[in-house]
Amino acid sequence: MAKKLLASVMAFALCLFVSAADMVVKGKNGEDRKINVVDTSETFLRFEFVSDSTVELTKESSYRNHDSITIPEKVRIGGKVYTVTSIGYFAFKECSSLTSIKIPEGVTSIGSWAFKGCSSLTNIKIPEGVTRIGSYAFKRCGSLTSIKIPDGVTSIGYNAFENCSSLTSINIPESVTSIGGGAFNYCESLTSINIPEGMTNIGASAFYRCSSLNSIKIPEGVTSIADYAFEGCSSLTSINIPESVTSIGKCAFDGCSSLTSINIPEGVTSIGNWAFSGCSSLNSIKIPEGVTSIGYKAFYGCSRLTNIKIPKSVTSIGESAFGGCSNLDIVIDNSKDNVKVERFAFENCKSVTWLKD
């Protein structure tokens, strides 16, 4: 009798173990989906509690010994099952041997520095539920060639893809409303990118030194192009700045040496320092009425510019603003008394004509 009772207990315990190890849930298509639940005592992965039902995957030095990692969708801790919803700060930082990783459906957030320095990671699939990609999340993932950001992501953090030097293309969904400064800094292989309609600001250094970038569309609704946004984009041949833009920051297009023409919208009131400096192929530009100041070295070294008219609204022209524009004839619709001109503003220009006494 005792043996029979013991066998029944063991069979019941085994049944409990199997049911806990495998869960069945409804998938997005309504079909049953089987989920394997991993016991934390049986995995090298480490987790911290987020709530009474969710956990976050956290940093662990042993991750650096693995080239392939699968993050479970569910984990069992102390007999209770939790959903993995986030990848924490620094989780896989400097895991230079990591070549592939599988992120489960339930993850909604990828933390700052999560994959920074994963230099062997060639591709990654970000699940549909993710809404946030943290700052520096994929910085220096030098082997990453392409990535799809799913619909639902609303923000891409500062320097999120900085130094992803092999990244050739990236799709940014319409859900994204915020791209942090330096997000694609030094993505030297990136040739084209779409900026979604909901964006209002292109952050500082967002595409700094993206030297292969040859086309980009800035949507209506963007009101400001921040400092250094496209500096060093030496393959960019043309760009359309929408009428909604009212501010162009310093060095915004500095070093865009292939840029031949550009429009400055009517609503812009100032042209920042070095804004178009080094645009040596620029042959035409119109400064609209409403601009009041032209910054330090704003057009320095634009040697192919042949003529430009400065409207009467401009009251300040910075030092060396048109320095080195050796083929440029400048016409200023004002008198010298009404415009503050810093030294060397027109150094080496072909001619300067004031229309008013």
Side-chain angles (χ1 to χ4, degrees):
M1 181 71 179
K3 288 183 178 180
K4 188 174 181 180
L5 180 61
L6 178 61
S8 297
V9 170
M10 289 178 67
F12 179 68
L14 179 62
C15 181
L16 277 179
F17 175 81
V18 171
S19 62
D22 295 298
M23 293 182 64
V24 177
V25 299
K26 289 292 182 183
K28 292 181 180 179
N29 58 4
E31 296 180 357
D32 288 344
R33 185 165 65 89
K34 192 175 182 180
I35 299 174
N36 181 249
V37 181
V38 174
D39 196 300
T40 53
S41 65
E42 299 171 354
T43 179
F44 60 90
L45 299 173
R46 293 292 172 259
F47 303 89
E48 287 185 358
F49 296 110
V50 176
S51 72
D52 59 359
S53 61
T54 62
V55 292
E56 175 179 274
L57 185 142
T58 60
K59 182 181 178 181
E60 169 62 44
S61 60
S62 66
Y63 300 164
R64 297 183 182 183
N65 301 324
H66 297 266
D67 58 10
S68 180
I69 292 176
T70 297
I71 301 172
E73 190 165 345
K74 305 277 186 180
V75 293
R76 190 189 310 105
I77 304 174
K80 184 176 179 179
V81 175
Y82 297 82
T83 301
V84 180
T85 57
S86 59
I87 298 173
Y89 287 11
F90 308 104
F92 298 98
K93 182 184 176 185
E94 308 298 342
C95 290
S96 57
S97 297
L98 188 65
T99 59
S100 66
I101 189 161
K102 185 176 180 181
I103 303 174
E105 292 284 333
V107 169
T108 60
S109 174
I110 297 175
S112 299
W113 293 279
F115 295 95
K116 181 188 174 187
C118 292
S119 55
S120 299
L121 192 64
T122 55
N123 60 73
I124 190 167
K125 182 180 179 182
I126 300 176
E128 291 295 326
V130 170
T131 59
R132 173 184 171 271
I133 297 173
S135 299
Y136 306 95
F138 295 94
K139 180 178 179 180
R140 290 198 294 105
C141 290
S143 297
L144 198 63
T145 56
S146 65
I147 193 165
K148 181 183 177 183
I149 298 175
D151 291 324
V153 171
T154 57
S155 67
I156 298 173
Y158 291 98
N159 303 84
F161 296 94
E162 180 181 358
N163 282 117
C164 288
S165 55
S166 298
L167 191 66
T168 57
S169 64
I170 190 163
N171 182 62
I172 302 175
E174 292 299 319
S175 55
V176 172
T177 57
S178 171
I179 297 176
F184 300 96
N185 209 345
Y186 284 105
C187 289
E188 297 167 352
S189 299
L190 192 65
T191 57
S192 64
I193 196 164
N194 67 301
I195 298 177
E197 294 293 330
M199 288 288 298
T200 58
N201 173 59
I202 297 176
S205 302
F207 301 96
Y208 180 83
R209 300 288 176 181
C210 291
S211 55
S212 297
L213 189 66
N214 54 50
S215 67
I216 192 163
K217 181 183 177 183
I218 301 175
E220 289 287 346
V222 170
T223 58
S224 65
I225 299 173
D227 299 346
Y228 310 99
F230 296 96
E231 182 178 356
C233 293
S234 55
S235 297
L236 195 64
T237 56
S238 65
I239 192 164
N240 183 62
I241 302 176
E243 291 299 319
S244 54
V245 170
T246 58
S247 173
I248 297 174
K250 68 181 180 183
C251 301
F253 297 94
D254 182 16
C256 292
S257 55
S258 298
L259 198 63
T260 57
S261 65
I262 198 163
N263 66 302
I264 299 177
E266 294 293 329
V268 171
T269 58
S270 66
I271 298 172
N273 298 339
W274 294 284
F276 300 97
S277 176
C279 292
S280 54
S281 297
L282 190 65
N283 53 48
S284 67
I285 195 161
K286 180 183 177 182
I287 299 177
E289 291 283 350
V291 170
T292 60
S293 65
I294 298 172
Y296 173 76
K297 289 192 173 182
F299 295 93
Y300 185 84
C302 293
S303 55
R304 293 194 182 181
L305 274 179
T306 56
N307 59 76
I308 196 166
K309 184 176 181 179
I310 299 176
K312 61 184 177 182
S313 57
V314 172
T315 58
S316 173
I317 300 174
E319 182 178 333
S320 301
F322 296 93
C325 297
S326 54
N327 294 304
L328 183 60
D329 292 310
I330 299 175
V331 175
I332 304 172
D333 188 17
N334 216 323
S335 67
K336 292 181 180 180
D337 292 337
N338 294 331
V339 183
K340 181 181 179 182
V341 179
E342 301 288 352
R343 63 178 186 165
F344 310 125
F346 309 116
E347 185 179 27
N348 294 325
C349 289
K350 194 173 180 181
S351 70
V352 179
T353 303
W354 298 82
L355 294 184
K356 296 176 183 176
D357 296 329

